[in-house]
Amino acid sequence: LKLNTDHNNVVKIKNIIIESMLGPGGFAVDATAGNGNDSLLLSDTVGKNGKVLSFDIQESAISNSHSLLKSKAKYNNYRFVCDCHTRLSEYIDEPVDIFVYNLGYLPGGDKSKTTTAENTIISIKTAMSLLKIKGGLLIVSYPGHESGYREEKAIRLFSEELDQRKWSVLRSEFINQVNSPPVLYFIQKR
Ligand SMILES: C[S@@+](CC[C@H](N)C(=O)[O-])C[C@H]1O[C@@H](n2cnc3c(N)ncnc32)[C@H](O)[C@@H]1O
């Protein structure tokens, strides 16, 4: 960690893991494109020979993300899909380095269009089946709102049962912060 930077939220920790795991030529999937911030980081990190595939169920999120990458991305290495992330396997036919999930609803958008425990668990299982060895899932979960609380609990129950000979599971949160701070999961295939 660089000592002149505040590492005070799990989104930053997620980005540090992305930058340490993913490199040029990689294949990354953003399972919740939202405003495109994760897709942009993934696009910059995999470079001109890599690729990024990004999903969102909302046209408005896809269009926000597309505009962000059009103006800021250094490489034309990304594609957007307006579909539910339970259907990842319809679009992916080669092993993936990293899946990123930033759960919940679009900031400033319709709060009812949120990720759900049921769909998220289906999607996580599918993503796990599409990973390269040493590839991983990074999931930021927000237990501070009602459906986010259920979702975080479901991810915890699911991931703590995974066979440790096959999967490493890290669960990380800033435990001195008020109001149910977000939780980061890192599930890596061994
Ligand atoms: C917190 S935002 C993501 C933020 C984004 N990663 C960024 O960097 O700006 C969550 C997004 O998940 C999307 N979403 C909700 N349910 C989904 C589903 N089943 N499949 C794909 N995306 C979904 C929402 O539309 C919303 O845009």
Side-chain angles (χ1 to χ4, degrees):
L1 302 186
K2 294 197 181 94
L3 294 179
N4 60 358
T5 312
D6 258 346
H7 288 89
N8 59 354
N9 72 60
V10 291
V11 171
K12 288 185 189 166
I13 308 296
K14 162 184 67 61
N15 292 348
I16 291 170
I17 299 177
I18 290 175
E19 285 165 345
S20 74
M21 276 189 73
L22 194 61
F27 179 22
V29 175
D30 184 348
T32 54
N35 289 321
N37 300 297
D38 289 316
S39 296
L40 179 60
L41 174 66
L42 296 171
S43 165
D44 285 349
T45 310
V46 298
K48 72 172 188 314
N49 297 321
K51 41 180 198 201
V52 178
L53 188 60
S54 300
F55 291 80
D56 206 289
I57 44 165
Q58 297 190 71
E59 288 286 1
S60 57
I62 296 288
S63 119
N64 291 353
S65 299
H66 204 251
S67 316
L68 180 73
L69 272 81
K70 230 175 148 188
S71 66
K72 295 261 173 69
K74 299 189 191 89
Y75 312 99
N76 186 12
N77 57 2
Y78 52 87
R79 184 158 79 88
F80 289 98
V81 175
C82 192
D83 201 349
C84 177
H85 52 213
T86 53
R87 291 165 40 78
L88 293 174
S89 60
E90 304 286 317
Y91 301 90
I92 298 171
D93 55 11
E94 61 187 294
V96 176
D97 291 290
I98 283 192
F99 287 88
V100 178
Y101 292 78
N102 198 337
L103 300 172
Y105 45 82
L106 190 60
D110 181 348
K111 292 193 178 173
S112 70
K113 302 256 169 42
T114 187
T115 56
T116 63
E118 295 71 24
N119 285 343
T120 298
I121 296 295
I122 293 170
S123 182
I124 288 174
K125 287 181 183 166
T126 308
M128 287 168 65
S129 74
L130 294 167
L131 279 178
K132 288 183 191 164
I133 302 283
K134 309 291 180 204
L137 276 62
L138 284 156
I139 306 161
V140 179
S141 177
Y142 297 83
H145 62 105
E146 203 186 313
S147 75
Y149 177 80
R150 277 202 309 279
E151 191 172 36
E152 201 282 310
K153 208 164 141 192
I155 298 167
R156 179 165 185 159
L157 289 173
F158 168 73
S159 59
E160 68 191 6
E161 294 295 330
L162 292 171
D163 182 345
Q164 74 171 68
R165 290 167 300 182
K166 296 184 180 151
W167 301 96
S168 302
V169 183
L170 171 80
R171 180 182 183 279
S172 158
E173 65 183 311
F174 285 88
I175 57 175
N176 67 336
Q177 292 179 357
V178 297
N179 299 333
S180 312
V183 179
L184 173 68
Y185 287 87
F186 176 43
I187 302 177
Q188 187 179 28
K189 183 169 177 170
R190 303 191 62 188

